[in-house]
Structure formats: C-alpha cells, structure tokens
Amino acid sequence: MSATNMSATRRRVLVVDNDPVERDRVAGLLTAEGHAVRTAASTPEALEAAASFRPDVITLEMDLPSPGGTVFYARLRRSPALRETPVVVVSGVGPRPARLS
C-alpha cells in the first residue's frame, strides 16, 4: 500500500499514554494525518474509551500507573468486541532485566 493510499484511509485511533506531552505529540501527529483520535491516560480510562470509541487501532505506552499497560492489554483481549483490535506498543520501557541473584 502506498503512502498516499494509507493517508487517504481515515482510522479511529486510541492513544494511551500517561505522559501528557507524549500523548499529545502522538495524537497531534495522527490528527494531522486526518485520523480521528481519542486519548486516555490510565488503564480504566483507556478501557472505557476503547468500549465507547471502538478504535481501529490502539497505541499503548506499557509503563502506565497501576494497573499498568499489561493489565490493559489482557483486559482488552478478553473483550469479544475488542479482542481483535491491533495494538501498537509505543514505549520507552525496554526489556526487564533478569532477576538479580
């Protein structure tokens, strides 16, 4: 698919990030490309937004405050209406270090 074809398709995107600067930056880039964007700063807020907005795709910062991004992802996958929604992880969180002994 060419870049022209991709930008011609308007998508509903849910941006989930607790950092307001990053959340607004990602939302702004997507809005500028013509996508309909909703944002959420926490797992409860994101689950509510996903249920009402029914996004085509979700960007997810994994390092959310408790309950974190992993909990959001697990709950999303248990929802029959949302389990097939693609999730793109956009995170500064790297691999967790091996347990120190």
Side-chain angles (χ1 to χ4, degrees):
M1 183 179 290
S2 74
T4 304
N5 289 341
M6 284 178 31
S7 64
T9 304
R10 180 181 158 98
R11 302 279 184 204
R12 290 182 318 275
V13 183
L14 175 59
V15 176
V16 182
D17 197 319
N18 62 308
D19 180 332
V21 173
E22 287 303 308
R23 187 174 59 243
D24 291 348
R25 182 181 65 81
V26 173
L29 290 170
L30 293 166
T31 301
E33 290 296 319
H35 301 291
V37 177
R38 295 260 174 96
T39 62
S42 67
T43 291
E45 188 180 334
L47 289 167
E48 183 178 313
S52 65
F53 184 52
R54 302 293 292 268
D56 297 308
V57 65
I58 297 169
T59 69
L60 174 62
E61 163 59 60
M62 294 301 288
D63 198 23
L64 295 174
S66 185
T70 303
V71 171
F72 167 78
Y73 185 83
R75 290 182 184 168
L76 184 79
R77 291 298 176 238
R78 285 195 300 253
S79 167
L82 299 168
R83 71 170 42 126
E84 299 297 323
T85 305
V87 176
V88 178
V89 175
V90 181
S91 185
V93 174
R96 304 283 183 193
R99 187 173 184 176
L100 300 175
S101 37

